[in-house]
Amino acid sequence: MTHTIVALVQDHPGVLHRVISLIRRRGYNIESLTVGHSETPGVSRMTLVVEAENVEQVTKQLNRLIEVLKVFDVTNDPTVERETVLVKVQAPASARAGLIALTESAGARVADVGSNTMVLEVTDLPEKVEAFIDLCRPLGIKEMIRSGRIAMTRGSGGGAGARATGTPGGAAGRAAPTGQPVDSSPRPYRAQADGDE
Amino acid sequence: MSAPAPDARRTGAQIMCEALIREGVNIIFGIPGGAIMPFYHALPEYKDRLHHVLCRHEQGAGHAAEGYARSTGRVGVCVATSGPGATNLVTPIADAWMDSTPLVAITGQVSSLVLGRDAFQETDITGISVPITKHNYLVKRVEEIPAVMHEAFHLASTGRPGPVLVDITKDAQQAHTIPTWDAPLSLPGYKPTLEGHKRQVREAVAVMLSAERPLILAGNGVIQSGASAELREWAELLGVPVITTLHGLGGFPEEHPLSLGMPGMHGWVHVNRAIQECDVLFNIGGRFDDRVTGKASSFAPRARVIHVDIDPSEIGKNVAVAVPIVGDARRVLRALLDDLAHRPGPAVEARRAARATWLTHIRDMQDRFQGRHKELNRPETTSLMPHDVYAALNRAFIEHSARGEGYRVVSDVGQHQMWAAQLLDWRRPRTHITSGGAGTMGFAVPAALGVALAHPDETVWAIVGDGGFQMTNQEIATMVQEKVRNVKIAIVNNGYLGMVRQWQELFEGKRYSGTPLTGPDFAALAKAYGVRGVTVEQVGDVDPAIASAWAHDGVVLLDFRVEREVNVFPIVPQGQSIGQMLVAVGEHAEGDDT
């Protein structure tokens, strides 16, 4: 199935390679990947969308990487997910008014107007982005770029980034009031990570 | 030549040497080359504290460092230049990764000014080694060297040990600075869990006490954490039989009444049967490797599994676990023993008594299988059998231990390795050193060099096949140059890549494709290297040859020309349940099918 994994990593050269290497090793395909700064200086945040059979092993082994601070599988959590798409479509002067109307009704916006083309932009849920692209197809898409997904768990807690120095191992669960922390141990161990002793 | 004053500016290369000394390193194994030349230029200034062993191949340097590490528990260090020097280290690094061996590999890299431009001998070794190292570093600035070296040793030796590669550009080695040594470790993503969680520990004790047919499976973690005494106390207090994996051999003395031996593909029938019948399996420091479990889905079907491992990602990986405990083997055993001490004595006593029946049952199986199937022992023949070599070695080991003389055994990979595991008695931790997870042929000779230099007062036996020997035998020249005198090499020479041939015989209709193997006259080769070489072809010559080799003050090579087509039994055919064991060609252990 498709999993959405959020990883907080140290902003070091090569860290992306290390993360990708673990996924590549199993022959899993990465559907989308975004990396950028988090709220903590020196800490980057990755959102990976991966088609994987045994994602728990992957997340545990990600936790084992020295520069990985924390890993969350947010697949089954309430999250805010966003993706941006830029679509360049044919836009002769005669068609522009119609296109602009369509763009507004779809919650998109016009990012650029050229002599014969327009660049349309939408930032929304991945499925909404998908629907918008379908809407554009009949217009003749000349070029398209999707950003890849970013995800954040809902709620008042600090989210996945609550404490960027979480430890792989026993204490991982305590640091994250929201989101399902990927505890680096199997199910029965979950209780242990919650610190019920 | 002498080292610079403490507050003087010095080169990155000098800082590298000083960093090694600060980490307690006094011996390193390597080969120089262009990109690591500044380091070698600095080395003589530190030669009274840092001894360099010039190996004949970087793979040999890596395995020698592994042998040093596995026999001492300290970090082994190997050094190579960029490009081919670095890629030749890939095999020992992968080997150390699979067997959790603490290793720091230092490689020179081309100057940062030409990095990425396909410079002479440039190879992206940090890229290559990502999946086979615990961590690696590319160092381009001299100022980074002290902190990186300290982190590398910290990572290699703590938590689950493993290899760390440090790739240092030539210009960083040449640049000058005044080193800052006391920078705190900056590893926010690395905090190994050492202490087992109390509730899980309590649960584990309860499960062990409630068990009727419990087993302890002891792996590499017991050796690595130095938990043998605790393991013994734990097993004895509970009266639970102990199985030792290939890398657990020596972690629990095999002469102990509770010791059962090795499980898995070439484990004993009674051991595998016991696993299939047990109701609780307590795995301490083993990773449920597929050579142990066979078909994982039918492994220990009746057991509740307690798994103690320092690496959380090992727990639940291959076998479902009822009670997981993340922690260091010795510390967890201490906690278990503390908890057990608070339980009512009579209850513990009663459980121990009840388990005598279980042990008797296992011993009955052992008598039945080991006694009945002649191929598990020495077949009736006058030819020199591998078994004769091991029986004689075992006698020699017992005799010399009785005299208080130390010995260690390094085996290579293949049939001779499995016979060594099966037929020799393992008594002490860190005396059995082999390539397990990676199965690296060519490991034994260079690893024996590292073991011998770490333990000059002990005798190191390298047991090796004629195939593996021909991969790395040039390290005998290193032994000679280093004046190593305590290595004895026993080649179990059958003129085949024997384990592959065995599989071809048993599972591929005897199509011996690519397995018949010739070699030089090994005894003459030994002489060419300047050491003693002896060919042994008769059963009656085995004991005297071993005795004479042991007594000789110098490296000795014994070429045992054994019967060519002998198989290692028992064997679990790959992918099958460990309850399915062949004990002879075409013959399953009776009553198989648990």
Side-chain angles (χ1 to χ4, degrees):
Chain A
M1 72 176 270
T2 303
H3 292 268
T4 306
I5 298 166
V6 173
L8 293 167
V9 303
Q10 286 183 282
D11 184 13
H12 287 177
V15 67
L16 181 61
H17 179 184
R18 295 179 204 278
V19 168
I20 299 308
S21 176
L22 266 179
I23 294 162
R24 180 204 55 79
R25 175 184 175 190
R26 291 157 191 273
Y28 293 162
N29 189 38
I30 296 172
E31 288 184 13
S32 108
L33 165 69
T34 54
V35 192
H37 293 303
S38 70
E39 73 285 4
T40 312
V43 175
S44 297
R45 181 163 168 146
M46 295 184 182
T47 307
L48 293 123
V49 181
V50 185
E51 180 73 31
E53 291 125 49
N54 187 355
V55 81
E56 193 181 344
Q57 263 308 303
V58 172
T59 53
K60 279 181 171 183
Q61 291 188 348
L62 284 175
N63 253 321
R64 195 162 70 168
L65 295 176
I66 307 300
E67 290 159 330
V68 170
L69 303 169
K70 214 178 282 181
V71 182
F72 302 83
D73 180 354
V74 299
T75 311
N76 298 316
D77 296 328
T79 50
V80 178
E81 293 197 352
R82 287 296 178 271
E83 194 177 328
T84 294
V85 68
L86 298 176
V87 186
K88 188 181 283 179
V89 292
Q90 302 277 16
S94 58
R96 279 187 195 161
L99 271 173
I100 290 166
L102 174 90
T103 303
E104 279 169 5
S105 68
R109 69 187 198 91
V110 177
D112 180 63
V113 180
S115 56
N116 262 318
T117 57
M118 281 167 66
V119 177
L120 309 179
E121 171 195 346
V122 65
T123 298
D124 209 324
L125 292 168
E127 49 271 29
K128 292 272 181 66
V129 167
E130 196 74 53
F132 179 73
I133 293 166
D134 286 343
L135 207 60
C136 292
R137 277 189 212 285
L139 306 172
I141 298 178
K142 290 176 70 73
E143 232 182 291
M144 185 181 94
I145 174 70
R146 294 175 72 158
S147 67
R149 203 175 301 183
I150 57 172
M152 184 174 284
T153 51
R154 292 175 185 276
S156 57
R163 210 184 68 186
T165 52
T167 63
R174 266 175 237 137
T178 64
Q180 195 65 286
V182 175
D183 191 352
S184 30
S185 49
R187 298 281 160 198
Y189 187 56
R190 195 50 69 64
Q192 175 179 348
D194 291 337
D196 62 339
E197 180 64 26
Chain B
M1 276 174 289
S2 61
D7 56 349
R9 280 165 64 81
R10 66 203 72 190
T11 64
Q14 289 172 317
I15 295 167
M16 288 161 72
C17 294
E18 288 172 28
L20 289 170
I21 292 164
R22 281 169 175 269
E23 298 298 334
V25 176
N26 52 32
I27 189 165
I28 59 177
F29 303 86
I31 302 183
I36 193 74
M37 276 183 66
F39 173 74
Y40 276 83
H41 182 79
L43 262 181
E45 298 159 26
Y46 303 90
K47 71 176 178 202
D48 52 332
R49 287 171 289 170
L50 201 53
H51 178 64
H52 175 259
V53 177
L54 174 66
C55 293
R56 295 300 181 269
H57 189 290
E58 287 85 356
Q59 183 187 352
H63 291 322
E66 283 189 278
Y68 177 89
R70 295 185 68 80
S71 66
T72 60
R74 300 166 65 189
V75 179
V77 180
C78 54
V79 184
T81 191
S82 63
T87 55
N88 280 345
L89 282 180
V90 168
T91 297
I93 291 172
D95 192 88
W97 171 247
M98 291 295 277
D99 288 344
S100 309
T101 304
L103 182 78
V104 168
I106 297 170
T107 50
Q109 181 55 279
V110 299
S111 163
S112 63
L113 303 171
V114 293
L115 203 58
R117 299 192 197 178
D118 302 324
F120 176 66
Q121 292 193 329
E122 179 184 357
T123 295
D124 175 15
I125 192 62
T126 45
I128 287 172
S129 61
V130 159
I132 51 167
T133 50
K134 190 168 168 183
H135 196 53
N136 64 23
Y137 295 89
L138 170 61
V139 180
K140 298 195 285 185
R141 291 176 51 246
V142 64
E143 292 78 13
E144 297 168 17
I145 294 174
V148 164
M149 292 290 281
H150 187 45
E151 282 185 16
F153 277 85
H154 179 74
L155 290 173
S157 60
T158 57
R160 181 181 183 173
V164 178
L165 179 133
V166 183
D167 195 29
I168 307 183
T169 62
K170 191 170 183 177
D171 53 328
Q173 296 172 50
Q174 288 166 327
H176 288 76
T177 190
I178 298 169
T180 314
W181 294 110
D182 39 15
L185 285 169
S186 172
L187 297 165
Y190 180 70
K191 287 188 187 114
T193 305
L194 300 178
E195 304 291 347
H197 190 272
K198 277 186 189 159
R199 196 177 59 78
Q200 301 295 99
V201 165
R202 211 159 55 221
E203 173 75 6
V205 172
V207 169
M208 285 299 271
L209 284 174
S210 71
E212 289 179 6
R213 301 181 310 278
L215 281 178
I216 293 171
L217 180 70
N220 197 354
V222 169
I223 311 257
Q224 299 251 25
S225 70
S228 292
E230 286 80 3
L231 173 65
R232 186 170 176 157
E233 198 181 339
W234 173 242
E236 286 175 351
L237 278 172
L238 292 166
V240 178
V242 179
I243 292 168
T244 34
T245 70
L246 182 67
H247 274 323
L249 294 175
F252 190 80
E254 288 197 347
E255 71 269 27
H256 194 284
L258 287 171
S259 170
L260 298 182
M262 191 175 75
M265 181 173 273
H266 292 293
W268 300 116
V269 177
H270 69 278
V271 176
N272 285 353
R273 290 275 171 92
I275 290 173
Q276 298 304 79
E277 291 178 18
C278 74
D279 63 350
V280 170
L281 183 62
F282 177 91
N283 178 356
I284 177 115
R287 62 181 175 91
F288 286 124
D289 171 70
D290 58 82
R291 285 296 191 265
V292 167
T293 62
K295 187 173 157 195
S297 58
S298 58
F299 176 77
R302 296 162 181 82
R304 278 179 294 168
V305 174
I306 302 167
H307 191 181
V308 183
D309 203 296
I310 197 159
D311 180 354
S313 76
E314 287 299 345
I315 293 179
K317 184 176 81 174
N318 296 337
V319 169
V321 175
V323 186
I325 303 180
V326 176
D328 168 77
R330 194 169 61 83
R331 295 197 199 199
V332 171
L333 279 168
R334 266 279 134 243
L336 289 162
L337 288 165
D338 287 348
D339 186 279
L340 193 62
H342 291 100
R343 308 267 171 164
V348 178
E349 201 66 40
R351 295 312 301 179
R352 190 164 60 220
R355 278 165 195 155
T357 327
W358 164 233
L359 183 59
T360 306
H361 167 68
I362 299 170
R363 293 296 181 202
D364 285 348
M365 290 197 286
Q366 180 173 11
D367 290 345
R368 201 158 78 239
F369 291 109
Q370 284 187 336
R372 178 186 161 118
H373 297 288
K374 65 182 191 323
E375 288 220 36
L376 301 188
N377 299 298
R378 188 187 190 287
E380 304 273 334
T381 165
T382 53
S383 346
L384 177 57
M385 293 294 289
H387 307 64
D388 300 319
V389 176
Y390 293 97
L393 280 172
N394 216 26
R395 281 191 291 274
F397 293 159
I398 290 167
E399 186 192 320
H400 286 270
S401 318
R403 286 195 232 138
E405 297 169 23
Y407 69 91
R408 291 174 202 259
V409 177
V410 185
S411 64
D412 209 77
V413 171
Q415 286 186 310
H416 76 276
Q417 175 194 33
M418 290 298 109
W419 281 317
Q422 290 180 335
L423 302 174
L424 300 175
D425 298 333
W426 302 104
R427 298 182 171 78
R428 287 184 299 119
R430 299 193 186 281
T431 56
H432 172 258
I433 292 149
T434 196
S435 167
T440 307
M441 284 175 69
F443 173 84
V445 172
L449 163 69
V451 178
L453 286 166
H455 305 278
D457 300 329
E458 300 184 20
T459 300
V460 180
W461 281 87
I463 305 177
V464 57
D466 48 316
F469 178 76
Q470 291 188 70
M471 292 187 176
T472 53
N473 67 75
Q474 68 274 28
E475 300 306 336
I476 295 173
T478 312
M479 294 175 192
V480 172
Q481 183 168 352
E482 286 295 316
K483 300 186 172 59
V484 165
R485 316 189 71 78
N486 52 333
V487 171
K488 315 297 166 183
I489 300 166
I491 304 180
V492 181
N493 181 355
N494 57 12
Y496 278 112
L497 297 174
M499 187 57 92
V500 183
R501 185 212 59 78
Q502 168 169 347
W503 281 45
Q504 289 170 336
E505 176 182 349
L506 296 179
F507 313 122
E508 297 184 3
K510 289 198 178 188
R511 184 183 287 187
Y512 294 161
S513 169
T515 44
L517 178 74
T518 64
D521 175 341
F522 292 126
L525 179 68
K527 286 167 200 151
Y529 277 124
V531 302
R532 182 188 283 186
V534 181
T535 306
V536 183
E537 292 175 297
Q538 303 298 324
V539 180
D541 295 338
V542 176
D543 280 303
I546 290 170
S548 157
W550 205 307
H552 179 66
D553 181 25
V555 174
V556 179
L557 180 152
L558 300 176
D559 178 12
F560 293 104
R561 306 272 177 90
V562 298
E563 182 69 25
R564 294 193 66 201
E565 298 187 16
V566 183
N567 294 318
V568 180
F569 286 113
I571 177 172
V572 177
Q574 191 170 29
Q576 293 197 21
S577 154
I578 57 164
Q580 301 277 343
M581 297 205 83
L582 289 171
V583 290
V585 178
E587 183 183 347
H588 268 273
E590 65 174 33
D592 241 2
D593 197 25
T594 36

